[in-house]
Amino acid sequence: MALILALSVVFSGCSASELIQVGTPSFNEKGKSISFDKEIKDSESIEALRALIKKVREVEEPKDLDDEPETFFSLVRQQEGIAEMWLYVYYQDDGSSILYNDGVNGYYALSKEQTNELRRILEQ
């Protein structure tokens, strides 16, 4: 799957040095920035996020996507100083969501059920 390969090799298991950063993106004339609201260090949440991302399906760029995403998250391996994944989240009216990775310019779709799981993980 292009997303997993583009983001990095996904390792099984997680260590205490891994965390999910969740933030609010903003875009203005100076560019984009992210205000990080929380860090999630729970290993079950980290593994659930990895499992969920393995199930996403790549889609073409949606034509009717909002200008700005509602949420941003990244899975960071602190000891290595790298982000394993970094995605913007566009929640849709039907309960589904679109993920966007600007590093690979890729769009990915989550079903309503998958989006509910993502919300559960990110809103801890």
Side-chain angles (χ1 to χ4, degrees):
M1 174 176 289
L3 173 65
I4 301 301
L5 293 175
L7 296 177
S8 73
V9 176
V10 177
F11 296 99
S12 61
C14 65
S15 69
S17 67
E18 293 179 310
L19 60 92
I20 302 168
Q21 293 180 317
V22 183
T24 305
S26 63
F27 299 84
N28 58 40
E29 62 279 349
K30 295 180 183 177
K32 59 186 168 188
S33 65
I34 299 167
S35 173
F36 287 102
D37 306 315
K38 68 174 97 169
E39 293 182 344
I40 301 167
K41 297 179 181 180
D42 175 60
S43 62
E44 287 182 25
S45 296
I46 292 168
E47 288 309 309
L49 181 64
R50 280 193 178 112
L52 179 65
I53 296 302
K54 285 182 182 179
K55 298 176 188 176
V56 301
R57 100 187 130 78
E58 191 166 5
V59 296
E60 295 292 320
E61 179 177 353
K63 292 177 179 36
D64 58 348
L65 201 59
D66 289 339
D67 289 340
E68 293 187 23
E70 289 86 351
T71 304
F72 174 87
F73 70 89
S74 62
L75 177 54
V76 178
R77 296 196 308 247
Q78 292 179 304
Q79 286 182 334
E80 298 167 41
I82 61 169
E84 181 176 316
M85 62 181 78
W86 57 97
L87 293 157
Y88 294 92
V89 183
Y90 294 85
Y91 295 111
Q92 304 299 293
D93 291 337
D94 66 359
S96 66
S97 61
I98 300 292
L99 305 179
Y100 173 66
N101 179 300
D102 61 352
V104 296
N105 199 29
Y107 291 88
Y108 310 91
L110 291 180
S111 68
K112 183 177 180 178
E113 293 77 22
Q114 291 169 323
T115 299
N116 287 338
E117 175 69 8
L118 179 64
R119 284 185 191 264
R120 185 193 66 74
I121 294 167
L122 301 181
E123 293 176 357
Q124 292 184 32

